Amino acid sequence: MRSVIVAAVLAVYAATNAEDMRPPFDKSDYKGTVAVQVNPWFPLNKPPKHALGGPNIAYRRDLDWCKGMELCAEYGVNAFVPEINEPSAWTGVWRELLDAAPNCKSDMKVGMFFGFYSKSPDAAIASMKKILGKFREDLKENPHVLRAGGHPVMVVYTPYRYKPEEWTKIFNALDAEFGRMVYLANFRSLAMARGGAAKSEEKFEAELRRLLPVFDGVSNYGSAGVASQRMCAKVLERVMKDFPQKIYEGGIHSTYTCHYHMGGLEVNLSREWRESVGIYCSGCADSEMLTNLFDHYENSLVLPCYEREDFLLRYLEWALSKWRGRVFHRSKEPEIVLANHNMIQLGRENLDFEIMVFPIDSNAKELSVTLQLCDTAGKVLKEFPPRKVKMDDFRCETYSVPSVEFAGERGIVPRVKYVWRGKEHQTGYNPMTLVSPSLRSYRMYWARSTRNHLRNVERAPWTLDGVGAGGTLVTKGGQTVFVSDFVTSGWSGKAQGYARQTIKRDWTDFFSTIDQTHKLNCTQVMDLPNPGAALHFWHLELENVHGRKAATLPVWTTDGSRLRTVKMPVWLAAEDKIADFPIEEARVPFWWYPCRRDTRNVLIDESGYMHNGSVNGSGYGGGHLGYMGYNHYHNGIVNTAKKKPTLFRKDSDGRGHLHMDGTDHVIVMGGTAFSGASTYEISVRPSQLGEEMGIFGSGNNQISLDLLSDGRVRAARRGENEGIAGAKRKGAMVNREVVSTEKLEAGRWTRLAVVYDLRRLRLYIDGKFQGEVDSHPIRNQEWETHLMIGAKCKWVWEPIAKFKGDIRRIRIYGRNLSPDELL
């Protein structure tokens, strides 16, 4: 039978593409493959407190590679494809996956995903022979290696790197050394190569037709908006019909946002994921590749995770049942998923919600759902009219509310009331959507499913020093009494083995314990950190042995220094209007860098937010400090600089500062430069004049503060460099600037302040008003929000025109301060 299939493939090959440079193979056994890429630097058992890349973690705490494979296999994934690369190869995880696969209960395959980065084809051949040589026997006979027609499959991330004839040389050399392999070109990189082919069907098609003869098919890795994905799929459907002997692997993207500088794609709850799945599961693709298993840098987490539980894979499982007729494992009771954003910026974004239902295994398919929006104490603030949904297929109900309706709320907590079989039920509380008056720092979303939820625990009382849900504990840290009064019935009869109780601070683990007795009535003394002037939130989360969880409503902490109400301008983007709202000042984020002590090459934020900066951070992600995300948090590891371990100096009066010699800068990554009302303050002592030097420079021109060659100071807001996903600016560059009348002196400390109230940009020197200029808000400036200190910002990690002199007392505030509030 196999010989007949091969003969048919050969006939198609000869008839359709005589120019095909690759030997024929039978792809039939590869059809239906559902693979997920694996970035090796993010293990599945990443610590739940914090670790490189962000605070989000795997949903289950006990995962290793084998258990992770088994978990994904439950939803229809049958291959893990690790990123390896050359010449610097990540072969360790590749080996771990190959060793784990035989122990899996499912038949999981392990592929390989290579970026080729050598300067020449000959160097790439030498590098690949060295790397693959360690896996020679695996490539030859390991039954867990992902294969097509009996040949190992390799995804090539960088097909634009070499010319077609150079790829032929590379592939022929590797085939001769290790046996025939199947090479798939990353079509997303083709869409981006050679002058931005992603913007043009014709250019993309030309790239495909140029390289397909020397590859065995296409796969995908990378980020693209829905419109770009549709364009790629449209062209691929057309082109691959002319190459039926080659593999067409669809490229499904999860949500994608770059942590480094807060760039990336707009995330509209689950819509992008659902549309991406639909694009590639409705055409003629042979197989599917998912981006990405567990990647915090790029926010593409397919693995069931703390933020979205297992929704991404659960929806994929449903879609695969349509695409390939696979079994969708239906629940016996309503499976309801509620989604809401982690954070929104007041006025710029609406409060959006989704109620999604999956088909169930029951004759009672009629369901009535009602969305409730609560404050953080659980009080219902708004209830939508009930909606009827039928659980015979996947359904999604969407809701949207202008965020200014809840301008006075710290956060909005959604839940669902539903009626099934004549009885009323309620889901648990979803984690809240933070309503930020100043900054949209994190564009992801929560998804919580009734399938994964522990019932009857949210309303049980708990306190921090006597303060209950929705209340504020004013504290400067120290010993705090935590009390919970949970009843064991909340765990039901399924809770066998242990009961985990976790106290979370700003959605990251602070304290966790396993109670073998299942009794959750307890008193616990904890040593709380000083919250500073930041506003932090705490809640209790319970988890049973099956991974089902439930969380309480939050209790807030702050030091009490900012509990007053202030008037703050807010841009109502949909109406293009500016309105003033009373806002609790503790909700306004700010960063405070006094530079009073030597902290090596970390710029320490003493506001309480831990929004730290990186001194002389450089290269890909060199300044991001490992995280972005919840509560404006930057507290990762920074490597100690060997040549210049510190810029810290002290004056004769004992006051500290950072000394910059024209080769230094500080970078504070995503969520730093405010897109709305803001104040930027710094004390500077230039060592010389005579050249233009940067003091502040932001990624998307939210703020620019420069010292001119004659000693005057220029403050400016300009049009964006780019918009969402690198979109080009439309129209001419806006340039709104004000130049001081006074001049700075070399060797003398001077205080500078720039204040923006959404209407005007004002400049102050030593508290004296220097001038102002009209400046209207710009929508795209909520993207690329990193900030350079002591330099202008050319791009994410490209500081230019670096400052010569000393800096200290840097404060960046998320509202327009009045003159008497300045430092």
Side-chain angles (χ1 to χ4, degrees):
M1 180 64 183
R2 184 174 177 82
S3 61
V4 173
I5 294 174
V6 172
V9 169
L10 284 169
V12 171
Y13 162 76
T16 61
N17 255 300
E19 65 173 2
D20 196 341
M21 304 297 291
R22 294 295 296 156
F25 71 103
D26 175 13
K27 69 175 183 179
S28 59
D29 60 347
Y30 193 79
K31 287 186 175 182
T33 295
V34 179
V36 57
Q37 279 135 348
V38 178
N39 279 8
W41 35 85
F42 292 111
L44 308 188
N45 58 354
K46 195 176 76 72
K49 286 189 177 181
H50 55 255
L52 191 65
N56 194 12
I57 58 172
Y59 188 69
R60 296 295 297 268
R61 294 171 180 258
D62 58 347
L63 291 183
D64 54 23
W65 288 118
C66 180
K67 291 179 180 178
M69 288 178 174
E70 291 176 349
L71 176 61
C72 291
E74 294 177 9
Y75 302 88
V77 175
N78 55 18
F80 274 25
V81 181
E83 182 173 348
I84 305 166
N85 298 333
E86 71 80 30
S88 299
W90 290 75
T91 56
V93 170
W94 189 18
R95 178 79 273 159
E96 290 175 13
L97 290 171
L98 288 169
D99 291 344
N103 300 317
C104 290
K105 298 175 183 177
S106 57
D107 184 19
M108 184 66 73
K109 305 299 183 184
V110 179
M112 46 183 164
F113 168 63
F114 274 92
F116 284 71
Y117 299 105
S118 289
K119 293 183 178 179
S120 69
D122 288 336
I125 291 170
S127 173
M128 289 296 289
K129 284 184 176 180
K130 183 178 179 180
I131 294 167
L132 297 179
K134 300 176 182 179
F135 296 83
R136 187 181 300 273
E137 295 304 312
D138 295 289
L139 296 174
K140 182 179 179 181
E141 59 187 22
N142 189 326
H144 297 284
V145 169
L146 180 63
R147 301 177 189 272
H151 311 298
V153 176
M154 177 190 296
V155 178
V156 177
Y157 179 45
T158 52
Y160 56 83
R161 187 78 177 181
Y162 307 117
K163 299 176 182 177
E165 60 271 20
E166 292 174 328
W167 281 119
T168 296
K169 180 179 181 179
I170 293 171
F171 297 157
N172 286 346
L174 297 182
D175 287 351
E177 181 74 17
F178 301 104
R180 168 74 156 101
M181 288 190 280
V182 172
Y183 305 95
L184 306 183
N186 172 23
F187 67 75
R188 177 61 189 162
S189 69
L190 292 181
M192 296 171 65
R194 293 168 64 87
K199 308 299 182 184
S200 162
E201 290 186 26
E202 293 75 17
K203 288 183 178 180
F204 180 43
E205 181 168 343
E207 284 298 297
L208 284 172
R209 293 190 182 279
R210 189 175 73 93
L211 282 176
L212 265 172
V214 302
F215 280 81
D216 296 301
V218 294
S219 183
N220 177 74
Y221 177 94
S223 165
V226 171
S228 180
Q229 291 183 60
R230 291 193 190 282
M231 185 278 289
C232 287
K234 178 181 177 182
V235 174
L236 284 162
E237 295 280 325
R238 181 167 66 241
V239 171
M240 297 310 292
K241 289 178 181 178
D242 295 336
F243 295 88
Q245 74 277 21
K246 296 182 182 287
I247 291 173
Y248 168 23
E249 189 156 80
I252 299 172
H253 301 165
S254 79
T255 46
Y256 187 102
T257 303
C258 184
H259 270 164
Y260 296 128
H261 56 286
M262 201 49 243
L265 300 174
E266 185 73 75
V267 177
N268 295 300
L269 300 178
S270 72
R271 191 181 75 184
E272 278 74 22
W273 174 255
R274 292 185 285 110
E275 291 192 2
S276 185
V277 170
I279 288 169
Y280 293 108
C281 285
S282 61
C284 64
D286 298 306
S287 55
E288 303 291 352
M289 181 67 80
L290 313 178
T291 302
N292 197 322
L293 181 73
F294 199 43
D295 188 334
H296 285 299
Y297 285 167
E298 298 169 352
N299 249 316
S300 48
L301 282 74
V302 172
L303 184 79
C305 64
Y306 183 66
E307 288 173 6
R308 289 171 290 286
E309 294 188 343
D310 64 341
F311 171 75
L312 298 189
L313 284 180
R314 187 66 171 149
Y315 184 81
L316 177 73
E317 181 188 3
W318 170 81
L320 292 178
S321 70
K322 305 282 187 180
W323 181 57
R324 291 291 181 184
R326 296 188 179 184
V327 174
F328 176 71
H329 300 90
R330 300 187 179 206
S331 300
K332 300 286 186 181
E333 297 181 351
E335 183 177 349
I336 303 169
V337 179
L338 174 59
N340 60 293
H341 282 292
N342 302 85
M343 309 173 74
I344 59 98
Q345 184 173 350
L346 182 64
R348 286 185 177 243
E349 287 87 30
N350 286 346
L351 284 156
D352 295 327
F353 307 90
E354 293 171 336
I355 296 177
M356 296 167 282
V357 297
F358 285 95
I360 65 171
D361 183 15
S362 170
N363 292 327
K365 299 189 186 302
E366 301 296 329
L367 185 71
S368 173
V369 295
T370 300
L371 176 64
Q372 296 178 325
L373 304 183
C374 308
D375 65 12
T376 60
K379 178 185 176 182
V380 177
L381 303 175
K382 185 180 183 70
E383 183 171 291
F384 290 83
R387 298 186 188 180
K388 303 288 186 181
V389 293
K390 195 168 185 178
M391 296 178 289
D392 58 346
D393 205 345
F394 177 84
R395 313 275 182 192
C396 179
E397 296 290 324
T398 61
Y399 305 79
S400 188
V401 182
S403 55
V404 293
E405 284 191 22
F406 301 103
E409 298 297 330
R410 294 172 175 176
I412 294 297
V413 184
R415 69 183 307 173
V416 177
K417 182 171 65 176
Y418 63 98
V419 178
W420 183 56
R421 286 180 166 171
K423 292 184 179 180
E424 186 175 287
H425 308 265
Q426 278 190 322
T427 66
Y429 293 112
N430 263 37
M432 67 180 159
T433 298
L434 277 175
V435 181
S436 171
S438 309
L439 180 69
R440 175 77 180 271
S441 71
Y442 192 64
R443 306 192 78 88
M444 306 309 291
Y445 64 95
W446 305 109
R448 291 292 182 265
S449 171
T450 52
R451 201 169 86 116
N452 303 315
H453 179 243
L454 276 176
R455 300 177 180 176
N456 306 323
V457 298
E458 288 87 357
R459 291 190 176 277
W462 78 287
T463 60
L464 278 178
D465 263 5
V467 177
T472 302
L473 172 63
V474 176
T475 177
K476 296 192 182 293
Q479 289 192 341
T480 298
V481 178
F482 161 81
V483 177
S484 67
D485 293 315
F486 283 87
V487 292
T488 55
S489 61
W491 294 87
S492 77
K494 294 183 178 180
Q496 298 176 1
Y498 67 86
R500 185 186 298 273
Q501 176 175 274
T502 302
I503 300 169
K504 286 183 172 283
R505 179 180 186 251
D506 302 335
W507 290 316
T508 59
D509 282 19
F510 181 79
F511 178 85
S512 188
T513 183
I514 296 176
D515 189 336
Q516 299 288 352
T517 67
H518 309 165
K519 294 179 180 178
L520 294 167
N521 304 315
C522 69
T523 299
Q524 173 75 45
V525 177
M526 302 183 301
D527 195 10
L528 260 62
N530 187 341
L535 184 65
H536 296 280
F537 45 93
W538 300 72
H539 66 271
L540 180 67
E541 184 177 83
L542 308 178
E543 179 181 353
N544 74 2
V545 70
H546 305 286
R548 291 192 170 201
K549 300 176 184 178
T552 65
L553 295 163
V555 174
W556 304 81
T557 62
T558 188
D559 67 4
S561 63
R562 297 196 305 150
L563 291 179
R564 65 173 181 159
T565 298
V566 296
K567 186 175 74 171
M568 184 169 169
V570 172
W571 184 41
L572 312 183
E575 306 168 51
D576 194 20
K577 290 169 51 179
I578 298 169
D580 294 322
F581 289 88
I583 299 292
E584 182 185 11
E585 188 172 24
R587 293 170 55 196
V588 180
F590 76 106
W591 333 126
W592 167 230
Y593 312 102
C595 306
R596 60 173 123 231
R597 56 197 172 104
D598 188 356
T599 54
R600 309 287 283 190
N601 53 327
V602 175
L603 182 68
I604 293 290
D605 170 29
E606 296 188 16
S607 68
Y609 282 104
M610 281 194 177
H611 195 94
N612 300 328
S614 176
V615 178
N616 287 328
S618 62
Y620 184 65
H624 67 74
L625 290 181
Y627 327 64
M628 180 43 209
Y630 312 145
N631 217 32
H632 323 301
Y633 192 52
H634 283 289
N635 191 35
I637 295 172
V638 174
N639 294 327
T640 300
K642 293 181 180 180
K643 293 184 179 180
K644 195 181 290 186
T646 183
L647 304 184
F648 183 75
R649 304 284 190 276
K650 279 189 177 182
D651 283 342
S652 58
D653 61 3
R655 298 180 68 184
H657 61 267
L658 298 186
H659 176 70
M660 313 181 95
D661 63 8
T663 65
D664 304 304
H665 68 280
V666 177
I667 184 169
V668 194
M669 274 294 179
T672 303
F674 295 99
S675 59
S678 52
T679 301
Y680 296 82
E681 300 174 88
I682 188 171
S683 289
V684 300
R685 181 172 60 185
S687 59
Q688 64 182 63
L689 301 175
E691 61 183 293
E692 189 168 311
M693 296 181 285
I695 298 173
F696 285 130
S698 60
N700 226 6
N701 295 325
Q702 295 92 342
I703 179 66
S704 174
L705 184 64
D706 304 318
L707 177 60
L708 303 181
S709 60
D710 63 358
R712 292 182 300 161
V713 177
R714 178 181 61 211
R717 280 178 57 85
R718 300 187 176 94
E720 74 275 26
N721 291 315
E722 64 177 52
I724 296 172
K728 292 182 178 179
R729 180 183 62 254
K730 296 180 180 179
M733 169 68 82
V734 175
N735 185 23
R736 309 301 295 164
E737 62 180 46
V738 57
V739 179
S740 69
T741 55
E742 297 187 20
K743 296 182 179 181
L744 273 60
E745 299 177 16
R748 177 179 177 276
W749 282 108
T750 305
R751 289 181 292 123
L752 306 177
V754 182
V755 180
Y756 179 53
D757 66 359
L758 302 185
R759 301 172 176 95
R760 295 175 185 83
L761 186 73
R762 296 181 174 92
L763 174 63
Y764 297 85
I765 292 182
D766 284 334
K768 298 177 182 178
F769 179 69
Q770 299 293 306
E772 64 183 12
V773 64
D774 292 344
S775 182
H776 194 71
I778 296 174
R779 182 60 187 260
N780 281 331
Q781 285 185 335
E782 61 188 284
W783 296 93
E784 285 80 50
T785 53
H786 56 288
L787 181 73
M788 294 288 182
I789 302 174
K792 295 183 180 183
C793 181
K794 183 179 180 181
W795 180 229
V796 183
W797 42 79
E798 292 187 63
I800 58 174
K802 297 181 180 180
F803 186 71
K804 295 178 182 178
D806 305 318
I807 63 172
R808 68 185 182 196
R809 292 175 59 78
I810 304 159
R811 186 170 67 169
I812 302 161
Y813 216 100
R815 70 173 176 89
N816 52 308
L817 298 179
S818 63
D820 60 354
E821 292 177 305
L822 299 177
L823 292 173

